[in-house]
Every structure is written in C-alpha cells, then in structure tokens.
Amino acid sequence: MSNILCIGAGYVGGPTMAMISKYCPEHTVTVVDINQERIDSWNSDDLPIYEPGLLEVVQQTRGRNLFFHTDIAGAITDADIIFVSVNTPTKMFGEGAGKAADLQYWEKTARDILQNCSKPEVIVVEKSTLPVRTAEAMARILESGHSSTKFSVVSNPEFLAEGTAIEDLANPDRVLIGGEENENGRKAAETVAELYAHWVPRDRLLLTSVWSSELSKLVANAMLAQRISSVNSISALCERTEADITEVSRAIGMDTRIGAKFLQASIGFGGSCFRKDILHLSYLCEYYGLPEVADYWASVVRINEWQTERFFQNILQQLFNTLAGKTITLLGFAFKQNTGDTRDSPAIPLCEKLVGENARVRIHDPKALENARVDLKHLNADISFVEDVYEAVEGAHALALVTQWAEYRELDYERIFKVMAEPAFIFDGRNHLDHAKLFEIGFNVFPLGKTPFKHI
Ligand code: UDX
Ligand code: UDX
C-alpha cells in the first residue's frame, strides 16, 4: 500500500491518476494543483477537461482512493511515489527563447518536494515532457539538501492522445519507464512498472535508461509530426497536379513498412506537445553542436506553419482577394476532435490572419468556445462565438472546417446553403466532408490536396 501523489492536475495528470486509482485500489492516489478552481472542478461532475469516458472512471474512484486538493506541501509529506506532471511551456524569454523549455514550474516543484518530503524513500516520476537530462537535474536538486530521504528519479513519459486518453491509458502500445542505472534506480523503475502491471501486459512495459526514455518521448512526437508535415507538403504538390492526397496517403499507408496512421492531410497539427517537443529536440541538437539535425527537425514546424498560411491564402484568393467585411465561419476551433483543448490549434493563427484582412469571424465548436475566447482575447476585431451551428453560418460567405468533429458530417448542408451568402464557399481543412455532395448542393468546395469543385 503506497501513497501515490501527482503534482499537476492537467490533461496528463488527471486522466493518468484516475486510471491508476481504478486499477490499483490498494493504493491511495492524490492529485494536487496550485489552481484551486481546477481542483474544484475535479471534485465536481463538471471536470476541467473533456475526455470521453473520464467522468465514469473519476466517479468510480473519487473519494474511495482518488483525492483532489491544493495542499501540495501536506500531500508531499505523506507521499511514497510522486508523479510530476506540471506544465513545461516553451520559454518565451532569455536564452533559448521560443525554443527551449521553460523549466521554472518544474524546478519549483523539485524544491517543494525536497522541502516537504518525510518518507525514508521517495520515488519521483517525471511525467512532464522535458528536455533530455532534466531527470539528472531533478536528482541533483533533490540531493542538494540535507534531507534524510533517499530519492530515485524515474522517467515515465505519457503517450496518451487527447480525445482518446482513457482508451490509450487502458490499452497502451507500451509504457516507457526509464530508471537510473544502479540498484536503487532499477528497484524504483520496477516499483513504477508494478503499478502499470495491474492492467498492462508485462511485455509492453519497457524498462530503459533515464535518458533513452526522455529522448524517446521527444522523438516519438517528432516522428508523428514529421509524417503529418510530409503529407501536408505533398498535399500542396497534389493541388498543382491531378493527384489526390487521400489516394496517395492510402497507397503509401498500405505499405506495412510505412503504416496507415498519421498520414491525414490537415490545415496543420496542433496540441500542446508536437510543436513544443520538436522545438526542444531541435534546441537540444543545436546545443550539442548538430546544426544540420536541428534544422532538419525545425523544418517540420516550418512546413506546419506554412500549411496553415497556405490554407488562409487560398481563402483570400478564392474570395476575390478581399475579405474585408465578409463573414467567415470556422467549423471547429479545438486542435482535434473530441477535446475542448485549443493549445496551439491552427485555428488561432488562422483567425489572426483573417482579422488581419478585416474579415468578420464567427466561431463554432461543440466543446472549445470557452478556450477560444481566451485564445483570441488579444485580437481587437469582429469575432463572435456561437453555440448554435446554424446561427453561426447565417449570412456567411465561407465556411472553414478546422476540426473534424463527427457532427460536422451530419449537418443539413442544404439548409446551410440557403442561409449563406452566394457564391458560397467551403474550405475543408481536414478533408472531412462529402465534397461531391456539397458541390451538388451548390457550394464551391476547396479540399486539401485535391482538385477543387467550382461553380464559378
Ligand atoms: C503537461 C505538460 O504540458 C506536458 O509537457 C507534459 O507532457 C505533461 O504535463 P498537461 O497535463 O497537458 O501537460 O498540462 P496542463 O493541463 O497545463 O496541466 C498542468 C497543471 O500543473 C496545471 O493544472 C497547473 O495549474 C499545474 N501546476 C503548474 C502546478 O500544480 N504547479 C506548478 O508549479 C505549475
Ligand atoms: C500527441 C501524441 O499522439 C501523444 O502520444 C503524446 O502523448 C501527446 O501528443 P495529441 O496532441 O493529444 O497527442 O493528439 P494527436 O492525435 O497526436 O494529434 C496531434 C495533432 O495532429 C492534431 O492537431 C491532429 O489533428 C493532427 N493530425 C493527426 C493530423 O493533422 N493528421 C494526422 O494524420 C493525425
């Protein structure tokens, strides 16, 4: 029976701890956060994040062996295993600005642990994605005090994707656990592995060195993002030729060496991880004197930004090179479907570009309107946030589909066509809709990486 603590009740900490509490009923799992409002939400049925299946798990275990509160110091005192899942945004100042990770919260957490721990042995588990070698820095901070506690630092990066977090946690491809290469380190890694072994088959628990584990997380995200940028770059070529990106993706994905996943052309990838992790990786390569490697990975981010720019340029061009006073409705704002998360969503730069042309922007999203408001509050422009999708499209000159919510396929487009300004345009940033049918209704349809369907 251990006291398991998680510092940081976010997208990663919350769902992960909910699952550990579910499958390890003999352990007590506590999640703390500096944000009182967030903790209050975790203690209600209106959870701070939308994630299919999460509420059911939380309801099952909350108050039994899962607890949420803000007494960080008190929780550290009782903890045997401490997961650190605080955010590590990209640093926006000083050395490495715009590229390196901002480690201030992470270091503060390390110092809180050192100051408040009381058990003779404590395992600190790095869950936040961090630059390689931060576990070593964490260990140095923990060893710097006069604490009688023996610490082990374990790296256990999270691979869950938002929108499918519960499924990914329940059935992970692998769980990566990096331990220090000494007896104490191996024992600590085994203790963490033991938790996951409650529901994950042993052959999917991968024990590695700390550095390999940290680097693997960055590389996994960089490789996934690289596939999207590769396909997006080819979508541009398809638009100049007669090739169709969906056919190309399908054809290459059937090669088992390539595989079918993450080959969907899009307006650009978003989310809290991809851009940030690639920039970390690139910065790391630069730091270690590998500018060519740094530039190779940085180009994945450049193509991603270019793809969003290309999408915007197409809207501008097709709408006769003027957007001033025209209404553009965004279908979706979240960075992907089934989440309210908007961090790094391509919708943000798209809106900035649209209002830069004095367009009027209307935004619809079933889960992300609240976050969208916060993301766009710096823009002094004609932007509205509309809960009813049919109201959002009324009088619009163009629709821009940003997020592939299933409901957007089910809309009554005949009804929508009737209330839009003519000629009506749809720019499908996810190739999510039935283009031929929309064209039949009367829309001018602009998919990605395919020949457009034009009446004009
Ligand atoms: C975070 C990191 O962004 C990501 O790199 C890592 O892989 C996992 O942890 P996420 O859970 O999505 O991802 O972040 P977020 O939802 O922002 O949650 C972090 C939480 O930590 C926030 O609720 C924040 O209030 C809390 N926090 C932050 C603390 O409790 N203490 C701090 O000092 C800083
Ligand atoms: C990602 C990783 O998948 C996960 O392992 C890691 O822990 C965190 O980062 P997440 O960002 O939640 O997860 O979502 P993911 O499904 O990977 O999508 C990331 C972005 O890529 C989204 O904007 C998505 O729409 C986009 N995407 C994905 C594409 O544009 N095309 C694709 O084919 C797949």
Side-chain angles (χ1 to χ4, degrees), residues 227 246-263:
R227 287 170 68 95
T246 308
E247 289 178 356
V248 174
S249 288
R250 178 146 188 268
I252 62 170
M254 281 174 79
D255 185 326
T256 50
R257 293 168 303 175
I258 296 175
K261 293 181 181 165
F262 274 75
L263 291 179

Coordinates of all heavy atoms in Angstrom, one line a residue, residues 227 246-263:
R227 N 5.5 13.0 -40.0 CA 4.6 12.3 -41.0 C 3.6 13.3 -41.5 O 3.3 13.3 -42.7 CB 4.0 11.1 -40.4 CG 4.9 9.9 -40.2 CD 4.2 8.8 -39.4 NE 3.1 8.2 -40.1 CZ 3.3 7.0 -40.7 NH1 4.4 6.4 -40.8 NH2 2.2 6.5 -41.3
T246 N -5.6 12.0 -50.7 CA -6.2 10.9 -50.0 C -5.8 9.6 -50.6 O -5.5 8.6 -49.9 CB -7.8 11.0 -50.0 OG1 -8.1 12.3 -49.5 CG2 -8.4 10.0 -49.1
E247 N -5.8 9.6 -52.0 CA -5.4 8.4 -52.7 C -3.9 8.1 -52.4 O -3.5 6.9 -52.2 CB -5.6 8.5 -54.2 CG -7.1 8.5 -54.5 CD -7.4 8.7 -56.0 OE1 -6.5 9.0 -56.8 OE2 -8.6 8.6 -56.3
V248 N -3.1 9.2 -52.4 CA -1.6 9.0 -52.2 C -1.4 8.4 -50.8 O -0.7 7.5 -50.6 CB -0.9 10.3 -52.4 CG1 0.6 10.1 -52.0 CG2 -1.0 10.8 -53.8
S249 N -2.1 9.0 -49.8 CA -1.9 8.6 -48.4 C -2.3 7.1 -48.2 O -1.6 6.3 -47.6 CB -2.8 9.4 -47.4 OG -2.3 10.7 -47.3
R250 N -3.4 6.7 -48.9 CA -3.9 5.4 -48.8 C -2.9 4.4 -49.4 O -2.5 3.4 -48.9 CB -5.2 5.3 -49.5 CG -5.8 3.9 -49.5 CD -7.4 4.0 -49.4 NE -7.9 2.7 -49.2 CZ -8.2 1.9 -50.2 NH1 -8.2 2.3 -51.5 NH2 -8.7 0.6 -50.0
A251 N -2.4 4.8 -50.6 CA -1.5 4.0 -51.3 C -0.2 3.8 -50.6 O 0.3 2.6 -50.4 CB -1.2 4.6 -52.7
I252 N 0.4 4.8 -50.0 CA 1.6 4.6 -49.3 C 1.4 4.0 -47.9 O 2.2 3.2 -47.4 CB 2.4 6.0 -49.1 CG1 1.7 7.0 -48.3 CG2 2.9 6.5 -50.4 CD1 2.5 8.2 -47.9
G253 N 0.2 4.3 -47.3 CA -0.1 3.7 -46.0 C -0.3 2.2 -46.0 O -0.1 1.5 -45.0
M254 N -0.6 1.6 -47.2 CA -0.8 0.2 -47.3 C 0.6 -0.6 -47.3 O 0.6 -1.8 -47.2 CB -1.6 -0.2 -48.5 CG -3.1 0.1 -48.2 SD -4.1 -0.1 -49.7 CE -4.2 -1.9 -49.7
D255 N 1.6 0.2 -47.5 CA 3.0 -0.4 -47.4 C 3.2 -0.6 -45.9 O 3.2 0.4 -45.1 CB 4.0 0.6 -47.9 CG 5.4 0.0 -47.9 OD1 5.7 -0.8 -47.0 OD2 6.2 0.3 -48.8
T256 N 3.3 -1.9 -45.4 CA 3.3 -2.1 -44.0 C 4.6 -1.5 -43.4 O 4.6 -1.2 -42.2 CB 3.3 -3.6 -43.7 OG1 4.3 -4.3 -44.5 CG2 2.0 -4.3 -44.0
R257 N 5.6 -1.2 -44.2 CA 6.8 -0.5 -43.6 C 6.4 0.9 -43.2 O 7.0 1.5 -42.4 CB 7.9 -0.6 -44.6 CG 8.5 -2.0 -44.8 CD 9.4 -2.0 -46.0 NE 8.8 -1.4 -47.2 CZ 9.4 -1.2 -48.4 NH1 10.7 -1.5 -48.5 NH2 8.8 -0.8 -49.4
I258 N 5.5 1.5 -43.9 CA 5.1 2.9 -43.7 C 3.9 2.9 -42.6 O 4.0 3.6 -41.6 CB 4.7 3.6 -45.0 CG1 5.9 3.7 -45.9 CG2 4.2 5.0 -44.7 CD1 5.7 4.3 -47.3
G259 N 2.9 2.1 -42.9 CA 1.8 2.1 -42.0 C 0.8 3.2 -42.3 O 1.1 4.3 -42.8
A260 N -0.5 3.0 -41.9 CA -1.6 3.9 -42.4 C -1.8 5.1 -41.5 O -2.5 6.1 -41.9 CB -2.9 3.1 -42.5
K261 N -1.3 5.1 -40.2 CA -1.7 6.2 -39.3 C -0.9 7.4 -39.5 O 0.2 7.4 -40.0 CB -1.6 5.7 -37.9 CG -2.6 4.5 -37.6 CD -2.5 4.1 -36.2 CE -3.4 3.0 -35.9 NZ -3.1 2.2 -34.7
F262 N -1.5 8.5 -39.1 CA -0.9 9.8 -39.2 C -0.4 10.2 -40.6 O 0.7 10.8 -40.8 CB 0.3 9.9 -38.2 CG -0.1 10.3 -36.8 CD1 -0.8 9.4 -36.0 CD2 0.0 11.6 -36.4 CE1 -1.3 9.8 -34.8 CE2 -0.5 12.0 -35.1 CZ -1.1 11.1 -34.3
L263 N -1.3 9.9 -41.5 CA -1.0 10.3 -42.9 C -2.1 11.2 -43.5 O -2.3 11.3 -44.7 CB -0.8 9.1 -43.8 CG 0.5 8.3 -43.6 CD1 0.5 7.1 -44.5 CD2 1.7 9.1 -43.7

